[in-house]
Structure formats: structure tokens, C-alpha cells
Amino acid sequence: MAMLKTILGNLLRPPRTRDPADMPEVPPVYRGALAHDAARCTACGTCAFVCAPKAITFTQEPGVSVSWHFFIGQCSFCGLCAQNCPTRAISLQADAPGATNSAAGDGLRLESVIRLQPCTRCGAAHVPLPDATIEALWGVEEAERGYCPECRRRAASEKLRAAFVPAEEAHHDR
Amino acid sequence: MPYSFPLGPYHPALEEPFKVKVQCRGEVIDSATVEVGFSFRGIELLAQKRNWVEVITLIERVCGICSNTHAMTFCMAAETIAGIEVPKRAAHIRTIIAELERLHSHLLWAGVGAEDIGFHSLFMEVFTLRELVMDTLEAISGNRVNYGMNCIGGVHRDIPDPKRHLPALDTLSKGLAEIVIPTFTENPTALTRTRGVGRLTREQAVEWAVVGPVARASGLDIDVRKDQPYLSYADLGFESVVRPEGDVLARVVVRALEMVESIRLIREALLSLPAGPLRATQGVPEIPSGEATIRTEAPRGEAFYYVASEGGATPARVKIRTPSFVNIPAIEAMVVGQPLADLSIIQASVDPCISCTDR
Amino acid sequence: MNAVWSSLGSYLLAFAVWPGLLLAAPLGWLELWFMRKLVARLQGRQGPPFFQPFFDFMKLLGKETVIPRGVNRGIFLALPVVSVAAVTAALAIVPLPGNPAPSLPGDVVLLLYLMEVPILCEVLAGYVSRSIYGQVAAMREALLSLAYNLPFLVAIIAMAQEAGSFQMSTLQAAPYGLVHLLAAVTFLLALPARMKLNPFSIANAEHEIVADSHIEYSGPPLALFKLSHAVELVLLTELFAVVFIPATPWPLVNLLVYLAAGVAVLGGVTLLATATARLRLTQAFRFYWVWGGLASAVTLAATLVR
């Protein structure tokens, strides 16, 4: 009898019951609590676009800031926001998300404020890009760090133009 | 004196809410009616309001047990419309996840079946084995359920070290061969509860149009993996398991041998994982207008998807027909003339998945 | 007059203290814990802590009693009390070492009657509950008792025939022989069904009929039913020990041997319960009427042959 052999064998082995302390190792791909890094966020809205249960939303205070909101009660932990974030501002942590509010009242709702900065050239308020993104997209020109997208495009096209058209000729054209 | 006996919607023998109401005479069942719809969520309508990225997360939640089947079938339908060819590696990974899911679903069923015939020790052994599958799935996908592996055009995650998962498969096939299969087929008390119980003849199986293991246990050799190979099944080779008896024991045996076949498929797929990209497309997919129907073999049988696109940001129509939807009514045919004591194991032998059925 | 008072006092003592309620209840909980722990270890689990059956009882005592609408309140509440009183009275008759109650002629018959009372209470509890599940459980319990009572009663009656008396102390002191062995096997055959354990846990098959016949019971009445079951365990195991285990002249040794025998019997039926699935009512019936009947016939034949 297979069962009799099995159960008598169980009697000789230590129980399979696990203590909370010897939890199995969390795999690296585990999709746990959400974390958001405001310094990397460009408020592009991709996360809100791919979020099926609409747990992520954006609000803005024109000219001052853009806020990223997350409500854990709506989250389904599919991980699409982290996978699709172009600047890796969203990451899913290895620890399980809290089931209740902490004493400080945070945990269930996350909010991070992305302050708009005035453009160092024209003064228009804009979402600052993280350094890595600037490097990847625009190269490193120290003076252009604080430009708004409009000025950046302008600066880029000017550079392009300068590369094709010699400076004196350009001057003559004007 | 005839009386009516309700099994469900809340009952220890059920994993999910549905109701079998039987008319009994003494301990013998005269007739039965099945009621479903207790966990209806309107996913088909919701799917029309979600864009092509979000909708996969939604579709995955049709079912908690065979979640991957739904997401995968939906993605296959969208890929058919858009004419995207899935990379070989992605197809292999999809196959591995699908078969792991079948393993854990069949093991879950074996545990519930053991519990329904009052065999608690077998339940414990089966669920210990199932934990191995769950751990493997968690190691690959990061989650125990709702793996989130599929995207239109491929898969989200790689299996970086396929050989790492082989020891678990070895333990599993050992456990199946030494504990689960012998106990179900040799333990006298387990046999008396399953042999000749809840019979569905071949003719009845055709009449009630059952699919999956229930059909194969009644001698109908239908399996989408064999009849219309998709993903990597043609490469890996697949043999379906068919039994002619049509009783609960036959359903147990079919599922048990299918698990053995699944382990073989997973092992071969892990060992022959081809190199290459995981996705055929990047970024948000664009699905042109068109429509597609896709059939896949879910753990419980044939899952059918119809997806239509009008070229917009969301699907125009998603129609889901799950295997349990056609298997559950067959309970009415199986229980007639059977003792009331067997009602719970007969309804469980169909492996009814209510979330799937209700959507 | 004094003699009447003192014998009444000794019965009261036997009923209330030893082997009655005060000591049988902890012993019953101990046996329950042993069974649960053994089942858990056989299934590879850790199992409950030592005091768990006691905790369960205390917790139930603190719960609200809900009486279903349309149920006769008096009967509903009286059943568990009658059940506990009957098994305790039955246990008080068993001549365990140190039992202050004297053994009377014919007390075996009284014992057998008292042992039927808890079953009757369960059947009634199922029927008065007005729940279809409780009623099916009651029907199963009643039918099953017809099945297992054949070997159960025959085992005891054969021993009485062997000893030539319906007095417990004579049964206990009967010279050891073949009939002891055969009757013990017959008794053990009936035990799993009597204890409602697998493969005969048909009347309390939660996956078929949600719960046992006290499905509508809650709070203290349910606690009393559970207590009755715990005392019944002691009664059955100790009855087996007293009747079938040869006694030594030393009471203390006897007590230890009886307790050990009781635990061993429990271990055996628990092992059987863990290694089997639940049978159907008809299968259990067939088992008891064929194999139980056969064992009964052989046992009775052995008593007559001598």
C-alpha cells in the first residue's frame, strides 16, 4: 500500500510545516511593493497608460508641479508599469506590500511630487529630465542642462544648422 | 420521500461558488440542475474598454488557476490579427509556462478530488508536490498565480537558467509515480469511491459536447495540442492520453498520465530552449483591423477566443468560451442514479472552474 | 440507610470524579490531542499544541448559542447534556482501577444501553436541526449504527457468554482464552465506525454533507457534544482494555496497562483512518454485515464450542 508506506515515512521525517522565519527565498523577478523615484520620473504617463486597474494617476498644478499617485488597493501587481517605464523610475521591490496603512498613514497610497523647474534659458516651467536620460537623448552639454523641451529642440536644431551651414554664411543670411 | 439537496453555492467540496441542486430519493440522486453565474464579472465587456496593453492584465484574471492560458490565447489571437510571428524562444517559454500551469492545475484537482473522497493524507501529499510547481512558476515569473508572462509578440521574462528547474521536475515525477498514481489506482478505499462512479459514456460525451480530460476519459481523443499543434507542441511531440471507461477513475488516470506527459514536455522544452529574442515587437503594439479565432488546450480542455479589432486602441470584441463552460452541464448527466455521497466527487471530477465559466 | 447513602455517594463520586467527568474529560482531551498529533505527523505536518482540544472546548464555551428558528428549544439544548451524562454514566460503570462504584449484576446491559444514548442524541440532533445536511447526517448515523452495532454488541455479548455473567467485574476477571482474542478482533472491527473515523466517517463527511449531525449547534451546546465525543473515546478505549486485556493483581499496574492499551488502540485506528478514503454508506454497510457478521459468527461459535 503506497499510502501506508508514505505516511509511515512521514512519521520518521521532520514535519513539512514551515515557520514564518524560514520563508523560501524571494525570486529576483518577484513583483512586490511599488516604489517610485521622483528624480527619474519624466511624467511621460506611460505607467498610467499601461495600468489596467488604473492604480496610477497623474495630477498637475500648472506651473508648479506634476504629481504621481498610486493606490495599492487598485494595483494588480502585473509589473507592466515598471517594465514599460522608459527611465526606470518605477521599480517593484522584493518585499511584500503592506496590507494596511502604517501609523504614518502611508503605504496604501503613494504620492510623489515632481517639481517643475524654470528653464535656464527662457524661464518656462518644465519637468526636469534625469541626467541619464539627458545624456542618452541629447548628449552632455553643461549649459543646456536646465533647458525646457522647447529650448532644447531649438538648441539642437541650431547646432544641427551650425554643423551644415558655416557661421559667416549664416550671419550673412540674417 | 424525495427531497432536494443543494450542493453550493457555498459548500466545503467547492473551490468556487456554483450550485448543483439534486433531487434525491433516499441516498440516490434522481435528477440534478446546475446553476452558475455567482462570480460573473463582465470581463468580455471590460476588455473592450482597455487598451491592448492593459487588456492582457485583465484577461489574465479571467481565471486564477489557468490564468496563463487566457492571456496566452488572447495574445495569440492579437498576433494573428497583426500578423506577428512569435520568436522561437518565446514560443518555448510560453509552452513551458502553459505546461507548468497544467501540472499545478491537475495537482490542485487531484488534491481536491482526494479531499472529496475523504482522503486527507493524499491531499497533503499532492499539495506538497504542487508546491514544487508553484515554486518553479514563482522562480520563473515572480508570481505564484497570474504570472504576467505574455505580451503581444512574445513573453515579458526569460528563463535565464533552464537547467535549474530540472531537479524539481525529477522530484515531481518521483512523487507522482510513487505516491499519487499508485494511491489513486491501488488503494482499495480510493478505488471503491472512483471506479464505475459518475459514468459518462462516449455517446453522452458527444451529446453534451464535453472537452478536455473529461472527453478523453470517455474515449474521445480530442486535444488541441495534437489536433492543431500551436506554440512548440509540434516540435516537442505530443501524445494524448485517452481512456474508454468514462468514470471518475478514468478522469483521475487521464489527468495523472497527462501530468507525466507535461513533465516530459517541460523537461524537453527546458533542455532545447532555442536562443533568440523574447519579443517580436517593441513598445505599445498596434493591432490593425481584423478578427481571429484561436483554440488552445487549457488544463480543463479547449479554450476558445474570438478577438476582433477595428484598428483602435482597444479590442472591438473579445469572446471567451472556456472549457468548464461546456463541461459543467455534463454533471447533470453524470450524477443521475448515483448515491448522494458521490455527488461531490462527481462534480469535482469535471474539475469545474467557475471563474472561467462566469467570466 | 447509611449503606444506601454511601453507595449513592460512591456512584456520584464515580460519575463526577473518577472515572467520571473530572478526570475523563482531561483524559479524553489527551486522547484527542494524541490522535490529532499522530494524524498530523503521519501527514508530514506539525500538528496542534498539547492543550489544543482544551482550548477548543473553552473557546466554544465562550461563543454565542444560536438556536435555529422553529426548533424546539428544550430538545435542542437537552440533547448535548443527555449525551454527556450518558457517556459519563457509562464510563462510571467500567471497573477501571480505583473506580469507587461497585459492580452490579447486569451492569453490562446498562452499559450497552447507555452507550447507545449518545448515538441517539446525535441522530435526534440532526433531525431536529431542520437542516437538510443535518438530516442526511442523522439518517447516515442511524443506518451506520445498525451496521457497526452487530460486531460491537456481539463482541461484548460473547464475552458475557464466556464469563457466564452480565457483570463487568466478572468479564474483567474471566480467564484468558481464544474467545478473548476473537471478540477483541470483532470489537476492533466496529471501533473506527463507532469513533466516526475514516474509512467510516460517513455521518460526518464534511465534503458531502457540510458537517456532521450537529451542524446547527454552536457555542456551549456544541462544546458539550465535543466533550461527549472526547469522553466517548475514553469509554471505548478503556472498555476495550478492561474487557480484553488480562488484568494483573496490582491496580496501579493495571491502570497503566489499560491506559497504554487505550493509546495503542487509538494509534491503530488513527493509522487506518489516515491511510484510507471515506467509504460510501452502502459499502460500509456491506463491510460490516459481511466481515463484521463473519467475525461475529466465528466469535459466537467459539463461545459455544467450549
Side-chain angles (χ1 to χ4, degrees):
Chain A
M1 261 180 76
M3 206 57 211
L4 203 59
K5 207 177 111 194
T6 310
I7 56 176
L8 288 176
N10 281 337
L11 201 57
L12 301 177
R13 278 189 289 272
R16 293 184 280 238
T17 316
R18 274 176 178 163
D19 275 340
D22 45 68
M23 279 262 283
E25 218 173 287
V26 174
V29 283
Y30 180 76
R31 307 197 289 276
L34 207 72
H36 181 253
D37 183 359
R40 290 181 146 202
C41 184
T42 60
C44 66
T46 308
C47 46
F49 179 76
V50 299
C51 183
K54 299 285 169 238
I56 298 175
T57 47
F58 282 95
T59 55
Q60 48 182 317
E61 204 177 319
V64 183
S65 65
V66 179
S67 299
W68 175 92
H69 300 272
F70 168 70
F71 176 43
I72 207 167
Q74 265 167 281
C75 182
S76 64
F77 299 95
C78 61
L80 285 177
C81 48
Q83 266 167 359
N84 286 294
C85 182
T87 57
R88 301 189 183 283
I90 297 180
S91 56
L92 294 173
Q93 311 289 303
D95 53 333
T100 52
N101 259 344
S102 72
D106 56 19
L108 294 192
R109 284 173 197 279
L110 294 182
E111 183 185 354
S112 57
V113 180
I114 304 135
R115 295 242 159 254
L116 301 188
Q117 281 179 2
C119 174
T120 48
R121 188 172 167 278
C122 69
H126 70 283
V127 177
L129 290 182
D131 290 347
T133 313
I134 292 183
E135 250 168 71
L137 290 179
W138 306 102
V140 270
E141 188 93 19
E142 215 39 60
E144 291 173 7
R145 272 279 144 95
Y147 278 16
C148 66
E150 189 61 30
C151 293
R152 210 182 293 282
R153 265 197 292 279
R154 208 189 156 94
S157 60
E158 263 170 22
K159 248 186 278 173
L160 199 65
R161 190 186 163 94
F164 283 112
V165 189
E168 316 86 64
E169 275 182 48
H171 188 75
H172 284 299
D173 278 353
R174 276 202 190 156
Chain B
M1 187 194 74
Y3 58 94
S4 83
F5 182 93
L7 185 112
Y10 304 107
H11 193 280
L14 304 177
E15 299 141 79
E16 294 172 82
F18 87 120
K19 188 172 174 185
V20 187
K21 198 171 182 183
V22 291
Q23 291 292 325
C24 292
R25 204 183 295 269
E27 275 252 328
V28 179
I29 297 169
D30 271 352
S31 65
T33 41
V34 176
E35 286 173 40
V36 295
F38 294 95
S39 55
F40 174 71
R41 288 147 294 158
I43 285 186
E44 288 184 1
L45 185 67
L46 285 173
Q48 297 173 17
K49 299 178 175 167
R50 295 282 184 278
N51 64 48
W52 288 99
V53 183
E54 294 172 313
V55 74
I56 298 167
T57 308
L58 175 73
I59 295 289
E60 190 156 45
R61 277 145 184 85
V62 165
C63 179
I65 307 172
C66 45
S67 60
N68 179 70
T69 296
H70 294 285
M72 186 180 82
T73 317
F74 178 82
C75 288
M76 283 164 69
E79 285 152 10
T80 311
I81 297 174
I84 300 169
E85 175 108 9
V86 176
K88 269 241 173 283
R89 189 177 178 90
H92 257 64
I93 293 176
R94 276 186 184 177
T95 313
I96 291 167
I97 298 291
E99 290 305 312
L100 277 172
E101 185 178 70
R102 189 182 319 279
L103 266 183
H104 102 70
S105 172
H106 281 3
L107 281 170
L108 177 106
W109 178 83
V112 172
E115 190 72 15
D116 278 345
I117 56 171
F119 212 147
H120 300 279
S121 310
L122 185 54
F123 166 84
M124 296 288 168
E125 296 302 322
V126 169
F127 265 59
T128 309
L129 288 179
R130 181 170 178 266
E131 209 52 31
L132 280 173
V133 186
M134 301 307 277
D135 285 348
T136 310
L137 278 168
E138 193 185 9
I140 293 173
S141 74
N143 262 29
R144 286 165 59 90
V145 286
N146 295 336
Y147 319 110
M149 288 295 279
N150 292 284
C151 59
I152 294 174
V155 289
H156 279 308
R157 272 169 286 273
D158 196 9
I159 303 179
D161 183 10
K163 293 207 171 51
R164 192 164 78 90
H165 306 296
L166 292 179
L169 290 180
D170 294 336
T171 321
L172 199 62
S173 30
K174 192 163 162 272
L176 278 180
E178 287 177 9
I179 303 172
V180 180
I181 297 177
T183 308
F184 267 120
T185 55
E186 284 165 28
N187 186 298
T189 50
L191 268 185
T192 51
R193 288 306 302 274
T194 52
R195 185 181 283 154
V197 169
R199 189 157 286 190
L200 191 74
T201 60
R202 198 189 144 94
E203 290 69 41
Q204 279 176 311
V206 173
E207 190 186 330
W208 288 87
V210 293
V211 292
V214 182
R216 290 194 284 278
S218 290
L220 287 178
D221 189 8
I222 47 170
D223 193 318
V224 186
R225 291 175 288 174
K226 171 178 71 72
D227 302 335
Q228 210 177 69
Y230 53 100
L231 297 178
S232 312
Y233 288 110
D235 303 347
L236 296 169
F238 171 74
E239 275 179 31
S240 61
V241 183
V242 183
R243 303 283 287 190
E245 295 92 348
D247 55 0
V248 173
L249 180 63
R251 281 166 223 148
V252 172
V253 172
V254 164
R255 290 204 178 88
L257 296 180
E258 261 182 31
M259 282 193 268
V260 176
E261 177 72 7
S262 284
I263 294 177
R264 186 190 70 78
L265 284 170
I266 296 166
R267 182 175 285 132
E268 284 187 17
L270 280 173
L271 288 174
S272 64
L273 203 59
L278 295 177
R279 291 184 68 168
T281 54
Q282 291 300 322
V284 177
E286 277 180 25
I287 308 298
S289 52
E291 56 181 17
T293 57
I294 292 287
R295 299 191 298 149
T296 57
E297 187 75 13
R300 288 165 185 74
E302 177 191 307
F304 169 89
Y305 267 70
Y306 166 79
V307 178
S309 167
E310 286 170 358
T314 64
R317 175 80 174 105
V318 179
K319 160 79 189 145
I320 309 167
R321 198 209 64 172
T322 59
S324 297
F325 185 77
V326 282
N327 281 346
I328 286 179
I331 295 172
E332 291 181 5
M334 290 176 197
V335 297
V336 171
Q338 300 287 325
L340 180 62
D342 286 336
L343 176 59
S344 58
I345 180 66
I346 292 173
Q347 64 83 19
S349 76
V350 167
D351 201 0
C353 180
I354 313 305
S355 288
C356 279
T357 308
D358 292 351
R359 300 185 297 284
Chain C
M1 197 66 194
N2 247 358
V4 173
W5 279 118
S6 84
S7 76
L8 195 67
S10 68
Y11 281 119
L12 269 179
L13 202 63
F15 181 82
V17 185
W18 171 254
L21 212 49
L22 199 63
L23 290 168
L27 196 60
W29 289 327
L30 173 80
E31 292 197 342
L32 266 183
W33 170 82
F34 170 73
M35 282 171 73
R36 288 172 63 174
K37 185 80 179 175
L38 184 63
V39 168
R41 291 299 296 114
L42 287 170
Q43 292 175 346
R45 292 184 287 120
Q46 195 171 302
F50 182 74
F51 286 108
Q52 194 60 50
F54 172 69
F55 293 154
D56 290 350
F57 179 77
M58 292 311 284
K59 188 165 183 181
L60 277 178
L61 280 188
K63 295 270 181 187
E64 188 190 358
T65 307
V66 180
I67 299 176
R69 186 174 299 153
V71 169
N72 186 321
R73 205 184 157 84
I75 296 182
F76 190 81
L77 293 178
L79 285 173
V81 178
V82 172
S83 179
V84 174
V87 278
T88 315
L91 192 60
I93 296 171
V94 178
L96 284 167
N99 187 345
S103 188
L104 298 173
D107 58 1
V108 171
V109 179
L110 179 61
L111 177 79
L112 291 180
Y113 267 107
L114 283 174
M115 287 184 79
E116 287 308 304
V117 173
I119 299 163
L120 203 64
C121 286
E122 297 233 325
V123 172
L124 283 175
Y127 275 121
V128 302
S129 69
R130 289 170 55 91
S131 153
I132 183 71
Y133 302 114
Q135 285 168 3
V136 173
M139 182 181 75
R140 289 176 166 202
E141 178 89 48
L143 284 171
L144 197 60
S145 76
L146 290 182
Y148 64 70
N149 265 339
L150 172 72
F152 181 76
L153 292 177
V154 163
I156 303 293
I157 291 167
M159 286 309 297
Q161 167 81 13
E162 172 80 358
S165 155
F166 270 103
Q167 192 168 358
M168 279 311 287
S169 52
T170 329
L171 249 63
Q172 188 181 17
Y176 215 65
L178 177 68
V179 179
H180 271 87
L181 212 63
L182 289 172
V185 170
T186 315
F187 188 92
L188 285 179
L189 219 52
L191 214 49
R194 198 74 179 60
M195 289 180 172
K196 296 207 248 319
L197 291 174
N198 253 359
F200 307 108
S201 61
I202 295 161
N204 50 341
E206 73 284 357
H207 273 246
E208 291 160 20
I209 48 174
V210 182
D212 46 12
S213 55
H214 11 86
I215 178 165
E216 290 294 342
Y217 277 84
S218 56
L222 182 61
L224 285 182
F225 264 130
K226 300 278 177 201
L227 180 68
S228 161
H229 183 62
V231 177
E232 204 178 356
L233 282 184
V234 180
L235 174 63
L236 287 167
T237 50
E238 295 315 312
L239 180 66
F240 173 84
V242 164
V243 177
F244 300 109
I245 301 288
T248 61
W250 307 285
L252 200 64
V253 176
N254 275 353
L255 187 65
L256 289 177
V257 168
Y258 286 168
L259 290 181
V263 168
V265 167
L266 269 186
V269 291
T270 306
L271 190 65
L272 175 75
T274 319
T276 51
R278 179 185 304 119
L279 292 177
R280 266 193 298 272
L281 189 61
T282 45
Q283 291 162 344
F285 222 86
R286 194 175 310 131
F287 173 85
Y288 274 118
W289 281 92
V290 173
W291 295 107
L294 204 66
S296 308
V298 171
T299 312
L300 279 181
T303 60
L304 299 176
V305 161
R306 192 169 52 97

